[in-house]
Amino acid sequence: MGTILRPAVLASVQVGRPRQHGDADATDPLDRLWTSGFYKDPVAGPVRVGVTNIDGDGQADLVHHGGPDKAVCVYPADHYPYWREALNRPDLPPGAFGENFTVEGLTEAGVCVGDVWTFGGVALQVSQPRQPCWKLARRWRVKTLTLQVQQTGRTGWYFRVLREGVVAPGEQLALVERPHPEWTVERANTVMHHNKADLQAAAELGSLPLLSTSWRETLTRRVTQGTSPDQSKRLNGPLGD
């Protein structure tokens, strides 16, 4: 099932309901009115994880966020030193990338599509890499940040919930099943965003039943129709207007 070089630990948990931010009369697109659940607050004690969400959490855009395949957003704590330096924000806190779980000891290179991880009272399965949206750039007022996250592969990933339960910061994660060791989140990101001409890899990845429905549909269209979705709205949103 692969080797974990050091214990994987749930470093922190963050939740947040959709809220309005900005100013309706602002001329700078970065300051305009917007609604998002991106701003997350830390949870100190136990919190319940359900099939579609964590207690106290919510999404403003339910078309592109949330649901069973995107119940929990995860981001590696290991990436924070890089971003603190790159963005010149030494105080960048856990949850800065809109994630619910900030995890130490795991990155995209060590997590695979279909992995089942248990900790606390839950069992969670990796469903897909995270595809960052424009709200990340809006949150930190860096127009290119969403693209930077995608291009560097420091995206994080999503968990679907196989067994509901209660978790708390500080708990250690255990890998209990790895059906697709050849398909790390890192490799899946590469196929989706960089090696788009590799249709054989796209077909292989798109055939995995444990991959999220949206990713399977996107990859199937690439292979059968030669088309890819327009990423500009996801990457730029209103910032591209």
Side-chain angles (χ1 to χ4, degrees), residues 33-53:
L33 192 67
W34 61 302
T35 301
S36 178
F38 190 94
Y39 289 71
K40 307 293 186 186
D41 299 314
V43 177
V47 63
R48 181 168 179 78
V49 179
V51 170
T52 59
N53 228 326

Side-chain angles (χ1 to χ4, degrees), residues 24 44 85 103 158 189 224:
E85 181 176 356
V103 177
Y158 284 106
N189 269 329
T224 61

Side-chain angles (χ1 to χ4, degrees), residues 19-92:
R19 291 174 282 180
Q20 279 196 334
H21 309 275
D23 183 351
D25 298 322
T27 56
D28 187 335
L30 288 169
D31 295 324
R32 291 174 188 162
L33 192 67
W34 61 302
T35 301
S36 178
F38 190 94
Y39 289 71
K40 307 293 186 186
D41 299 314
V43 177
V47 63
R48 181 168 179 78
V49 179
V51 170
T52 59
N53 228 326
I54 299 175
D55 281 1
D57 199 49
Q59 298 82 31
D61 179 2
L62 295 177
V63 174
H64 299 102
H65 302 288
D69 281 342
K70 299 179 182 178
V72 181
C73 182
V74 186
Y75 202 73
D78 299 50
H79 293 335
Y80 272 89
Y82 171 87
W83 291 116
R84 285 168 182 151
E85 181 176 356
L87 301 176
N88 193 27
R89 291 182 178 271
D91 58 346
L92 200 67

Side-chain angles (χ1 to χ4, degrees), residues 160-175:
R160 63 170 63 92
V161 179
L162 301 183
R163 184 177 69 239
E164 298 180 317
V166 175
V167 302
E171 293 176 332
Q172 188 168 320
L173 288 74
L175 176 63

Side-chain angles (χ1 to χ4, degrees), residues 76-227:
D78 299 50
H79 293 335
Y80 272 89
Y82 171 87
W83 291 116
R84 285 168 182 151
E85 181 176 356
L87 301 176
N88 193 27
R89 291 182 178 271
D91 58 346
L92 200 67
F97 289 79
E99 76 269 21
N100 301 116
F101 291 170
T102 310
V103 177
E104 292 180 353
L106 288 177
T107 69
E108 295 80 3
V111 175
C112 300
V113 174
D115 274 4
V116 177
W117 295 82
T118 61
F119 54 103
V122 303
L124 306 176
Q125 185 173 59
V126 178
S127 58
Q128 68 165 77
R130 181 202 189 167
Q131 287 185 296
C133 78
W134 59 271
K135 293 183 178 182
L136 174 58
R138 173 72 72 90
R139 168 67 178 89
W140 295 108
R141 298 182 58 80
V142 179
K143 285 187 177 182
T144 62
L145 182 55
T146 304
L147 183 59
Q148 288 182 53
V149 169
Q150 179 171 294
Q151 294 300 101
T152 61
R154 294 178 172 89
T155 60
W157 58 89
Y158 284 106
F159 278 138
R160 63 170 63 92
V161 179
L162 301 183
R163 184 177 69 239
E164 298 180 317
V166 175
V167 302
E171 293 176 332
Q172 188 168 320
L173 288 74
L175 176 63
V176 298
E177 186 176 348
R178 175 160 284 176
H180 301 297
E182 74 281 12
W183 278 109
T184 63
V185 169
E186 180 180 64
R187 185 183 176 204
N189 269 329
T190 298
V191 170
M192 178 64 80
H193 300 300
H194 300 287
N195 296 346
K196 295 184 178 182
D198 190 344
L199 298 184
Q200 181 176 342
E204 182 183 341
L205 177 58
S207 70
L208 300 184
L210 299 179
L211 186 68
S212 69
T213 299
S214 62
W215 269 56
R216 284 190 283 114
E217 290 176 346
T218 295
L219 291 165
T220 298
R221 285 194 297 269
R222 179 186 296 179
V223 173
T224 61
Q225 303 175 22
T227 59

